[in-house]
């Protein structure tokens, strides 16, 4: 066999990152923070220092809260970056018992209005989608919640937003848990069912590789399912130890499954942004992003060299050893080249 | 508050069990078995020894394979039992790489025909549903499978069966894994999406409490979701340590969540059989079933005394402590009475 | 059988709590906090409002950092509380890459000195032990750390402290992970091995029920192991969903295993404080503590009524069903009484 | 930097496998088996077909039970294989409630005698160690067991065997669970503590990579701990999805952590056999072994090229990104070469 015969050169994907990749963090122990606080403008400057990073997803209100859209636009322009998305922060302390599902109707309304505000900013920035991550929408204890009520409120809120902004797209990022012990939008399939219940066209899913992985899904399989329903609006990648959303650097643990995920995207003809959602608590954020992109680029090259016919034949026989070998052959060569630079 | 005012006496539910509860087992270490093999007739006799057990779900072909339907009917009659379901065994060695999704079309056909055979027997026995547990339909390694293909074959096979037996109902039992490392019907939401793709009325879900639990779901929430779509055809209960399908006795670990599950069923007006799927590898099977039913009966009585208005109020405020206290008050009293006998 | 014959009335245990139970929290999403910040003095006042709470474990430096020992003493006296322990905070941002194991010797020295400072305050307060929770001592990525070096530095630091304060006792709280992805003192057995390596008498273990549970241990078994080696200096209790340190209210998920844990303590003659380590992120902290103590008190009464001879007989036959029934009989009665008040 | 300067050529390790790698299996569903049964002689023939496989660990009594030691010797000689170990099967049906810890003293005695019998055969075969895997020694339910009793019986039985065969070495293989829900020798540290309690020199640990991984350990760290105490008698490798003992082919999921494990072995000067414990339920066993050895050989070559000084420097700074990059540079090159053949 000669791999040379089968090369398909695809254009390089666009690489992106959540702007929080370049922030610093707190947790319940290091309440004073892992590093000094950074404004969105600081973070944009760092993002600009990462080669090949082209787009960013921006939290809104822009941290620490008093930065204008104009300032953000200027900062992006200066760094040659584009805003792919805006992420409204309706998961702060005020929304501790829920954003879309808060027991207090006034707080629920504030959550919806916050998202609406972000949507308007998103329009101004020309984003591809508004990201919805209802992190506080869920529950913590057995018997605490009326599950039907949580579901209905979640569906209703997103539908309302989708109808209010028909020119925009909304991408729901599901996650099994954290910060709530259990979340409403907890898996790909549940989120797709909820989107059906919304009965609108402009709502889809953001598949975060790590969320999918520690939620017990096979991310490549979840991606196929969403693409088949035209609902995969965006993806985020990172890695973890399969028990929590560790947001580690791409490929640092689950190399083969991450490669399989990108294979699924390309094989299905999905052409969105390859985007990082890493949290470098104790690492240099520019280096962490660079490392993540280096690995994604190796995946990209590996896919050019992957013997797809042979893989399809192995898969149609469910021949795990042969399929893995075909995938590894392409992957390891590309990784070796990538790391030898 | 007086609990007395709020008592709602419901009729006792019908209690059931998978007949395999009364079998013996092998695993990859004790290949010689945990106890002597038992035929389905032996198992029916043991089932008959359990007070309050009224219905059983029967593996087919009837173990060890040479037992006739007439013999089974007689044995059931003798013990005063009824067959609620039939479970075709399309997960044995022959189907190691899949039943509905086997790479070999001939084996796939055998799987479908095996189910069809069981359906005919089910008709004869007057069962409520044919249970589909495609245990070997899945994959083991990254890159081994074409997920879309597995999905399509699974959907097609069940649809074909549903159309072939329009007078019967088919209940898919989902499970995250085992014996395959990953299964096609792995969660409630995925299974509901697959059922939609089938576009038939006579396919629903069997929710196994343990599968749901170790799959990361909240079983009560999964039940609500299926009931809302009129697809909860049956349930099985047991318990585990949340990492594997341990099939332990009901309530031996997750008492409160199991009670919440039965609360969800009654609250939603679901009136199916309360059925055991325990595997007493090292326990007396009659005692294990008796213990499971004792706990289920305590749940039943506790539900009669549960202050539902107070619970609804606590839930609408997401007051976890209050909601738990209301649930515990009813539960502990019923359990104390149950254990004091 | 008459349970009456077997009652053994034990004196009520002393109930305690980490003072952080009465604080408010931040996490990486709600960076603005779940509620307004509270000083240690605020928290002591809340702790004082919990009936039956007698002792508290105090973070040091006393939050928010500028509270004097005299003020704390006065506040404790006012609320009728005693300091059972002091918990030095060598897991804040400065120690992001480790306290005892920080790559920078100067930071390592600061960690040791911080603990030493807390030990002096502990002496002044008359605590029973200094709690060591080296939350940042661990690692996050494969290949990141020299494990032998982390071990040696951890052992050396604790030994140095133990030798410097021979009149005090130090209790290491182990935990599988968080905030680091992996921690040095990650399990009971590893911690006992480390303590052996220290070769001092005044270092032991604080067993946190939740840490043990989500670390895959059986907490009752871990307790037995530590008691057999005279190293169980203290315990903390809470609950979780077995995948993370959720720090939920005692008994809200794993009722029977928590009861088994307290059974192990009493059966082995351990007579320390029954202490809460709950994090009521979204709950009223006084109510959460009250609920935890209510359940612990029910355990206490249940243990008085537990038929220990019958239990021993069932255990010596490994008769799971009988053993569980004996335990449940005592437990449910006590819980029913407790909840009926 | 030039990697060339740092190459250290180590002799090729000896590769081995458990002979069960070449057996067929049953589980609780495919009770008729994944393939036709094979005798130990069949399995030895298959093992002989694997290039580079030099030693095997043999179940005893030799499956299916009626094969003589002389026959096994001849078969090994014919295939150019050596017996590195013997694994007594004291985890079959008879020992369902325990081997060393069985409640029935007569069964306990049978377990000890079975091991003694295997030790004599092991002597005759010239094995390096007798492997002890007390798979049924544990418990399934809360309250079922007296943990101190299980511990004491386990320690006593192994000590008795070690004293009876002072010329042999015994290697305990720990595992968190399966077939019991919880096992006595469940982690590296617990096993080391038990070995201390035995107070003999000829008992050590067999570290199974997969057991360590799904037990929440970092296998490289566990290996270091055992080597530091001179107790790492043997290792087995495989892979899994971190939730169960899937016994998949080496490197199919956790490539980097497996490489780190072998790095730890070599770095600590450990020079035992690199041994497979894979269960190819649905794969060709010769191909699966070949694939596992191919990956191990790539690790071996990668270690020759690993820049250890640079890695040590990165680790001493806990610089995760740099450490990973150094490891990956060596690893990916070796893997690419390995797969290009």
């Amino acid at each position: 066999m000669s791999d040379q015969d089968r090369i398909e050169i695809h254009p390089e994907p666009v690489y992106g990152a959540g702007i929080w990749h370049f922030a610093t963090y707190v947790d319940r122990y290091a309440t004073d923070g892992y590093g000094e606080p950074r404004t969105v403008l600081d973070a944009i400057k760092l993002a600009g220092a990462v080669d090949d990073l082209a787009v960013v997803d921006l939290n809104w209100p822009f941290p620490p809260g008093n930065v204008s859209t104009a300032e953000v636009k200027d900062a992006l322009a200066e760094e040659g970056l584009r805003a792919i998305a805006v992420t409204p922060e309706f998961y702060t302390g005020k929304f501790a018992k829920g954003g879309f599902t808060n027991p207090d109707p006034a707080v629920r309304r504030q959550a919806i209005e916050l998202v609406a505000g972000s949507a308007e900013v998103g329009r101004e920035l020309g984003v591809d989608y508004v990201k919805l991550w209802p992190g506080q929408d869920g529950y913590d204890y057995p018997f605490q919640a009326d599950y039907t009520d949580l579901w209905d409120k979640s569906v209703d809120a997103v539908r309302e937003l989708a109808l209010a902004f028909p020119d925009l797209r909304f991408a729901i990022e599901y996650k099994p848990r954290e910060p709530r012990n259990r979340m409403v939008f907890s898996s790909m399939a549940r989120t797709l069912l909820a989107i059906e219940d919304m009965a609108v066209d402009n709502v889809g899913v953001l598949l975060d590789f790590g969320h999918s992985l520690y939620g017990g899904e096979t991310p490549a399989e979840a991606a196929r399912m969403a693409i088949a329903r035209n609902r995969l609006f965006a993806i985020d990648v990172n890695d973890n130890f399969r028990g929590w959303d560790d947001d580690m650097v791409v490929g640092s643990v689950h190399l083969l499954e991450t490669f399989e995920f990108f294979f699924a995207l390309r094989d299905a003809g999905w052409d969105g942004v390859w985007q990082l959602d890493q949290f470098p608590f104790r690492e240099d954020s520019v280096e962490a992003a660079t490392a993540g992109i280096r690995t994604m680029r190796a995946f990209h090259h590996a896919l050019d060299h992957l013997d797809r016919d042979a893989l399809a034949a192995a898969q149609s026989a469910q021949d795990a050893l042969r399929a893995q070998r075909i995938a590894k052959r392409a992957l390891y060569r590309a990784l070796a080249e990538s790391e030898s630079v």
Side-chain angles (χ1 to χ4, degrees), chain A:
Chain A
M1 186 199 87
S2 161
D3 284 358
Q4 286 349 88
D5 301 333
R6 300 173 194 276
I7 295 179
E8 286 182 34
I9 303 299
H10 274 249
E12 185 94 3
V14 173
Y15 299 110
I19 198 65
W20 52 91
H21 186 297
F22 303 96
T24 56
Y25 315 102
V26 300
D27 63 24
R28 62 173 170 155
Y29 302 111
T31 56
D32 57 338
Y34 294 86
E36 293 300 309
R38 291 184 193 138
T39 68
V40 71
L41 303 176
D42 298 333
I44 289 171
K45 186 158 290 183
L46 288 168
V50 180
D51 287 345
D52 306 309
L53 192 70
V55 304
V56 289
D57 174 357
L58 296 165
N59 305 82
W60 189 83
F62 301 122
N66 57 355
V67 180
S68 72
T69 306
E71 287 173 287
V72 166
K73 273 183 159 172
D74 288 351
L76 291 173
E78 181 135 357
E79 302 297 337
L81 294 169
R82 185 173 78 79
I84 184 181
V86 64
T87 292
E89 298 201 317
F90 62 112
Y91 42 74
T92 52
K94 176 198 305 185
F95 302 106
K97 284 201 170 179
F100 295 156
T101 63
N102 199 287
D104 179 345
V107 177
R108 213 150 64 225
R109 186 49 42 197
Q110 286 176 50
I112 293 172
E113 281 166 10
L114 182 69
V115 177
S118 80
E120 278 158 22
V121 169
R123 256 184 199 150
E124 203 177 328
L125 292 168
V127 298
D128 293 1
Y129 58 93
V130 176
K131 192 180 81 187
L132 301 181
W133 182 62
Q136 301 284 7
D137 289 292
Y139 51 96
D140 300 294
Y141 282 84
F143 274 103
Q144 177 175 14
D146 176 333
Y147 305 117
T148 306
D149 182 56
L150 293 186
W151 180 268
D152 290 345
K153 283 180 175 149
S154 298
V155 165
D156 289 351
V158 179
R159 184 197 294 116
E160 175 182 339
L161 285 158
L163 293 174
F165 295 88
D167 57 316
L168 290 178
R169 304 209 304 168
F170 293 84
I172 300 173
E173 183 172 6
Y174 66 91
K175 188 176 177 181
R177 50 165 309 180
E178 194 214 12
R180 297 309 287 264
N181 288 348
R182 294 288 182 264
M183 291 174 65
V184 174
F185 295 123
S186 56
S187 72
M188 174 58 83
R190 274 178 64 91
T191 309
L192 290 173
L193 282 170
I195 291 171
E196 279 186 9
D197 285 1
M198 292 169 203
V200 292
D201 287 331
N202 56 333
V203 177
V205 180
L206 183 150
L207 191 170
D208 180 289
F209 179 85
H211 296 182
S212 180
L213 196 72
Y214 94 95
E217 297 176 352
T218 296
E221 189 180 22
R224 295 272 189 184
M225 169 175 269
I227 294 170
R229 285 164 163 74
N230 288 313
R231 297 292 186 178
L232 190 66
F233 283 13
I235 60 118
D236 274 353
V237 286
N238 44 53
D239 212 337
N240 62 50
F241 284 111
R242 222 180 266 270
W244 188 251
D245 186 27
D246 302 317
D247 284 326
M248 296 161 75
V249 171
V250 174
S252 50
V253 182
H254 294 99
L255 193 68
L256 207 62
E257 282 160 288
T258 315
F259 180 51
E260 190 193 25
F261 175 69
F262 284 107
F263 164 68
L265 295 183
R266 183 182 293 183
D267 189 60
W270 190 86
D271 62 354
V273 168
W274 290 20
Q275 192 164 214
L276 299 172
D277 181 12
Q278 306 175 151
F279 272 63
F281 278 85
R282 297 169 187 83
E283 289 73 41
D284 180 275
S285 54
V286 173
E287 285 179 27
T290 301
I293 291 175
R294 185 189 313 122
T295 299
M296 288 198 288
R297 169 168 289 140
F299 291 152
H300 163 68
H301 290 309
L303 290 174
D304 282 345
H305 290 82
L306 182 70
D307 187 338
R308 291 174 54 173
D309 293 341
L311 179 61
Q315 289 185 337
S316 77
Q318 278 201 33
D319 186 333
L321 300 178
R322 187 146 52 94
Q324 282 228 334
R325 190 148 198 213
I326 293 160
K328 287 175 175 175
R329 188 190 297 266
L331 176 62
Y332 294 159
R333 183 165 67 181
L335 287 167
E337 279 167 17
S338 155
E339 292 296 339
S340 68
V341 179

